[in-house]
Amino acid sequence: MKLNLKISTKEKKKRLGRGIGSGKGKTSGRGVKGQKSRSGVAIKSFEGGQMPLYRRLPKRGFNPIKKKQKYEIINLSQIQTLIDKKIISVSRKIDLNLLKENKLIKKNTKKFKILGIGEIKDKIKLDTDLLSKSAKEKLSKSGSEFISNNKS
């Protein structure tokens, strides 16, 4: 004698909105009115008033913890024009404070870099944070003195 017992592991889905007797009639277990009773609406990341996960975790992403140092950039041609216009004297040392005094760079600038665009005719004294290779070559050709605090 063979027993034909089919054991179903899958429970039948409760049919919603099929009358009062079914236990899930009328509002289909969604409560009464309001946003959540409507179809296709879900309040994303809402955790019932608890502080949501995206606000609990520290924000890191693309914002680096250590801020990138910003440099003000000045070309040799700009320095030469300032010397030609007699805004900067050749005898005085050109440094961060002098450039700030003459409002050539912003007052909150911490460092500046000299680039080798243009030519320098006069012999100058320069104190800078960064110096490009071409600027070094042009300054040494003109016989200028320069102090670079960092290596570029």
Side-chain angles (χ1 to χ4, degrees), residues 11 15 34 65 85 106 109 116 123 125:
E11 285 185 37
R15 295 180 71 215
I65 292 169
K85 290 179 181 178
K106 294 174 187 170
T109 304
K123 190 176 179 180
K125 292 174 189 165

Side-chain angles (χ1 to χ4, degrees), residues 11-23:
E11 285 185 37
K12 284 190 175 180
K13 170 173 104 167
K14 190 79 168 177
R15 295 180 71 215
L16 305 175
R18 295 291 183 273
I20 306 165
S22 71

Side-chain angles (χ1 to χ4, degrees), residues 10 15 34 46 48 64-65 93 98 110 118 129 131 145 151:
K10 190 174 179 184
R15 295 180 71 215
F46 184 70
I65 292 169
K93 184 172 76 171
L98 179 72
K110 302 263 190 292
D129 296 297
L131 202 58
E145 292 177 36
K151 293 173 184 172

Side-chain angles (χ1 to χ4, degrees), residues 2 4 7-8 12 14 16 37 39 43-44 48 53-54 69 74 85 88 95 97 106 110 114 122-123 142:
K2 264 189 173 178
N4 239 353
I7 300 170
S8 177
K12 284 190 175 180
K14 190 79 168 177
L16 305 175
S37 69
S39 67
I43 303 168
K44 289 182 179 77
L53 184 67
Y54 73 92
Q69 192 79 39
I74 297 172
K85 290 179 181 178
I88 297 175
D95 62 346
N97 295 330
K106 294 174 187 170
K110 302 263 190 292
I114 303 289
D122 301 303
K123 190 176 179 180
S142 69

Side-chain angles (χ1 to χ4, degrees), residues 5-144:
L5 294 171
K6 287 187 178 179
I7 300 170
S8 177
T9 55
K10 190 174 179 184
E11 285 185 37
K12 284 190 175 180
K13 170 173 104 167
K14 190 79 168 177
R15 295 180 71 215
L16 305 175
R18 295 291 183 273
I20 306 165
S22 71
K24 294 281 182 187
K26 194 185 168 211
T27 54
S28 308
R30 288 179 172 266
V32 187
K33 297 182 181 177
Q35 185 181 10
K36 292 200 283 187
S37 69
R38 313 287 192 245
S39 67
V41 178
I43 303 168
K44 289 182 179 77
S45 74
F46 184 70
E47 297 180 22
Q50 175 179 296
M51 187 62 70
L53 184 67
Y54 73 92
R55 287 185 61 196
R56 275 181 277 165
L57 297 175
K59 304 293 174 275
R60 291 188 69 178
F62 289 100
N63 300 322
I65 292 169
K66 187 177 180 183
K67 295 283 179 184
K68 190 176 178 181
Q69 192 79 39
K70 289 188 178 178
Y71 300 102
E72 218 38 61
I73 293 170
I74 297 172
N75 292 314
L76 287 175
S77 60
Q78 289 174 302
I79 293 171
Q80 188 59 51
T81 51
L82 295 169
I83 292 166
D84 294 340
K85 290 179 181 178
K86 297 191 173 145
I87 296 169
I88 297 175
S89 67
V90 183
S91 59
R92 197 166 169 198
K93 184 172 76 171
I94 299 166
D95 62 346
L96 189 68
N97 295 330
L98 179 72
L99 296 171
K100 282 182 182 179
E101 282 171 22
N102 292 313
K103 296 178 182 172
L104 301 169
I105 56 174
K106 294 174 187 170
K107 63 182 177 181
N108 60 353
T109 304
K110 302 263 190 292
K111 294 182 178 184
F112 73 100
K113 183 174 183 172
I114 303 289
L115 298 181
I117 298 169
E119 292 297 321
I120 193 96
K121 298 167 198 165
D122 301 303
K123 190 176 179 180
I124 58 170
K125 292 174 189 165
L126 189 67
D127 185 10
T128 180
D129 296 297
L130 291 166
L131 202 58
S132 68
K133 287 178 184 177
S134 58
K136 276 182 188 175
E137 288 170 14
K138 289 177 183 179
L139 285 167
S140 58
K141 275 183 187 177
S142 69
S144 301

